[in-house]
Amino acid sequence: MFFQREKDCFSPFKMWKRRSNELAYTWGTLTPAPYDDPRANYRGKLLADPVTGQIQPYYPRWKTLIKVYCGSLPVVFLCLLVAFYIMLWSFWSEEWLLAKQKEEWPIYELALYIPGIVYTLIIVIMNRFYRIFATRLTEWENHRTESQFERNRVVKLVLFEFVNNFMSLFYIAFYLQNMEMLRMQIATMLIVLQFLNHFEEALLPIALRYGSEKVEELLVNYLAKKKRYRRFLEARLKREDAENRLTAEDIRNLKTDEISSDNPAYRQAVDEGLLESYYGTIEDYLELFIQFGYVFLFSAVYPMAGILALLNNLLEIRADAFKMCKVFQRPPSMKVRHIGAWQPALQFLGALSVLTNCGLLYLSPSLRSSFSDWSETSWLLLWAGVEHLILALQLVLAMVIPNVPLWVRQSMARSEHEIRRKLEERVHSDLEKRLSKPCDI
């Protein structure tokens, strides 16, 4: 047992898979549904479903695949090229600043941070527009089930987020091979992104809501002073009050008493109705994906990123609680087995982090100077061997440790055995009843 726990700790993804399956079994979502219903936005010709017999929309799968590979894929790669060109522009700007003499720029040291900050702001803006565009593009592909839709949307988002957030770091690390510049870029992007995320999630919606309410109140008060608009406002208020007020017949049909506007429950319902609808978990998953990449992909150069991420997550717990209670309406619940396509996306970053960190240690000047008597070939073979060893160990752990814990498998087998036993007892009981009846000759 201790050895297995140690292996779980060494492989966090395997540990999470096992924990996820435990929770899914506890909540009754581990066993997948035998047949998924179509999405609400699924479009197609109405036909009888061959499995359920219900009238449902039908759209040929081959048409969806043509849209994916011949339409969406080229467009996504075009977006990736645009993001890559903007990354090169930020480095050209930084090289232009480096070419300036310090005498010409009194604040030369501070000016070096400007391209990184501007590029980070551009990344945030591009991410927002691309997320909307990726959602609409996936809707255009017309996938049948919710799992297919989410999987294709996550692939588009992960590709763009990876190029938009991490390609510049790969360019600095392995093309320019400037470790000091890489460390400064990671710190700048990580801190600025975390600050913008907190501001956008918690503070900006509150400011916009109260600001719009204040502007609307000032506008109404200003128009109320004008005689030509006063009658219009009074008529509008009376019409809205008449539309929202329940009649005596409506109250009898509801079989309840009319709630007074002074009732706290009425006030709470009105306040919650004014909140924004919850947009889903896609933004939170993307935030974790980006943070995971900053922490693990280049941890050999900037280990401080882990501490910054920890402090951010401690603050994120309270920020998310504030967001869910004060900014958004209560989200609807949905049963799922796991985190979906985000699991392989995070596993991809985990495997890639082994390659990047071994490469960074190979390029590290300080570490190389400590082994100056080693030849370049021996130094390269050492880190290539370390990288292969770690990946092989991860592969062995993935094959040796099952994704579903033993107690979950035993509980599932026990439940299946009980169902079969009761079914057999019922069949035998029905057979005995039939045999006990006298035969009519």
Side-chain angles (χ1 to χ4, degrees), residues 73-87 126 130 155-164 167:
L73 194 60
V75 173
V76 170
F77 275 108
L78 180 62
C79 295
L80 298 182
L81 289 176
V82 172
F84 184 75
Y85 178 79
I86 293 177
M87 178 206 73
M126 290 177 61
Y130 182 79
V155 169
K156 295 180 183 65
L157 293 175
V158 164
L159 286 175
F160 187 80
E161 295 287 347
F162 183 85
V163 173
N164 205 24
M167 193 56 66

Side-chain angles (χ1 to χ4, degrees), residues 332-384:
S333 60
M334 183 175 61
K335 290 184 177 181
V336 294
R337 289 184 61 195
H338 41 62
I339 61 176
W342 294 106
Q343 179 77 24
L346 293 172
Q347 285 180 332
F348 167 75
L349 283 186
L352 186 61
S353 65
V354 177
L355 303 177
T356 56
N357 284 288
C358 289
L360 291 173
L361 292 174
Y362 164 74
L363 297 173
S364 176
S366 59
L367 191 61
R368 185 69 179 91
S369 61
S370 303
F371 296 86
S372 56
D373 54 336
W374 286 45
S375 64
E376 191 67 24
T377 304
S378 301
W379 186 246
L380 176 61
L381 291 176
L382 170 66
W383 289 109

Side-chain angles (χ1 to χ4, degrees), residues 110-125:
L110 296 177
L112 290 178
Y113 289 93
I114 295 178
I117 296 175
V118 173
Y119 178 58
T120 305
L121 295 175
I122 293 176
I123 285 177
V124 174
I125 296 173

Side-chain angles (χ1 to χ4, degrees), residues 118-148:
V118 173
Y119 178 58
T120 305
L121 295 175
I122 293 176
I123 285 177
V124 174
I125 296 173
M126 290 177 61
N127 286 346
R128 297 304 170 193
F129 280 102
Y130 182 79
R131 291 170 191 177
I132 299 174
F133 174 72
T135 301
R136 294 182 178 179
L137 192 62
T138 312
E139 285 284 0
W140 171 74
E141 295 169 357
N142 198 22
H143 295 277
R144 182 182 182 277
T145 62
E146 194 68 34
S147 59
Q148 293 173 347

Side-chain angles (χ1 to χ4, degrees), residues 20-53:
S20 175
N21 287 325
E22 288 180 355
L23 294 175
Y25 176 75
T26 304
W27 296 336
T29 61
L30 183 58
T31 304
Y35 190 71
D36 292 334
D37 294 326
R39 295 187 310 116
N41 293 339
Y42 182 60
R43 306 173 304 276
K45 186 178 180 181
L46 294 178
L47 296 174
D49 189 89
V51 177
T52 62

Side-chain angles (χ1 to χ4, degrees), residues 148-427:
Q148 293 173 347
F149 175 83
E150 287 298 329
R151 184 165 58 249
N152 283 271
R153 182 169 66 158
V154 167
V155 169
K156 295 180 183 65
L157 293 175
V158 164
L159 286 175
F160 187 80
E161 295 287 347
F162 183 85
V163 173
N164 205 24
N165 289 277
F166 305 131
M167 193 56 66
S168 61
L169 304 179
F170 280 96
Y171 182 83
I172 298 173
F174 299 106
Y175 183 77
L176 300 179
Q177 297 184 10
N178 189 335
M179 300 305 160
E180 187 62 34
M181 183 180 179
L182 176 63
R183 192 177 295 110
M184 182 179 66
Q185 186 78 1
I186 294 174
T188 302
M189 296 179 70
L190 184 61
I191 294 173
V192 173
L193 281 176
Q194 290 178 350
F195 173 77
L196 290 177
N197 285 332
H198 287 302
F199 175 76
E200 185 178 7
E201 287 182 355
L203 300 179
L204 184 60
I206 294 293
L208 291 177
R209 191 176 71 192
Y210 283 104
S212 61
E213 291 178 357
K214 192 65 176 178
V215 170
E216 183 179 0
E217 181 182 355
L218 292 175
L219 182 62
V220 169
N221 292 334
Y222 172 76
L223 294 177
K225 296 178 181 178
K226 304 291 184 178
K227 294 183 178 180
R228 56 185 300 183
Y229 293 110
R230 187 180 304 169
R231 294 180 180 179
F232 170 75
L233 292 175
E234 292 177 353
R236 180 181 176 183
L237 291 175
K238 290 180 179 179
R239 184 172 64 253
E240 290 181 353
D241 185 66
E243 291 176 355
N244 297 329
R245 181 175 295 276
L246 295 175
T247 63
E249 183 178 357
D250 293 333
I251 295 175
R252 285 195 299 270
N253 293 333
L254 292 174
K255 297 180 180 180
T256 184
D257 297 330
E258 184 177 4
I259 300 177
S260 172
S261 58
D262 298 331
N263 193 310
Y266 173 84
R267 186 70 259 168
Q268 181 183 358
V270 172
D271 292 339
E272 291 182 358
L274 296 176
L275 299 178
E276 297 182 20
S277 299
Y278 185 61
Y279 48 70
T281 58
I282 192 76
E283 299 286 341
D284 297 321
Y285 275 121
L286 280 173
E287 184 180 345
L288 292 175
F289 176 81
I290 296 170
Q291 186 190 87
F292 185 87
Y294 282 131
V295 172
F296 283 91
L297 286 176
F298 306 97
S299 58
V301 172
Y302 192 64
M304 190 69 180
I307 299 178
L308 293 177
L310 175 62
L311 296 176
N312 172 78
N313 292 341
L314 293 176
L315 181 61
E316 184 78 13
I317 295 174
R318 306 310 308 166
D320 283 345
F322 176 80
K323 176 181 69 175
M324 299 302 295
C325 296
K326 300 295 184 180
V327 178
F328 294 105
Q329 298 176 3
R330 281 174 284 186
S333 60
M334 183 175 61
K335 290 184 177 181
V336 294
R337 289 184 61 195
H338 41 62
I339 61 176
W342 294 106
Q343 179 77 24
L346 293 172
Q347 285 180 332
F348 167 75
L349 283 186
L352 186 61
S353 65
V354 177
L355 303 177
T356 56
N357 284 288
C358 289
L360 291 173
L361 292 174
Y362 164 74
L363 297 173
S364 176
S366 59
L367 191 61
R368 185 69 179 91
S369 61
S370 303
F371 296 86
S372 56
D373 54 336
W374 286 45
S375 64
E376 191 67 24
T377 304
S378 301
W379 186 246
L380 176 61
L381 291 176
L382 170 66
W383 289 109
V386 171
E387 172 258 326
H388 280 67
L389 179 62
I390 296 175
L391 291 179
L393 186 56
Q394 286 185 350
L395 182 60
V396 169
L397 289 175
M399 292 187 298
V400 171
I401 306 175
N403 293 332
V404 182
L406 178 61
W407 74 269
V408 175
R409 285 179 283 145
Q410 289 176 346
S411 299
M412 293 178 65
R414 192 180 303 112
S415 300
E416 185 176 357
H417 172 72
E418 289 294 328
I419 293 174
R420 288 182 178 180
R421 186 178 62 82
K422 291 182 179 180
L423 182 60
E424 290 176 358
E425 290 178 355
R426 183 174 180 179
V427 171

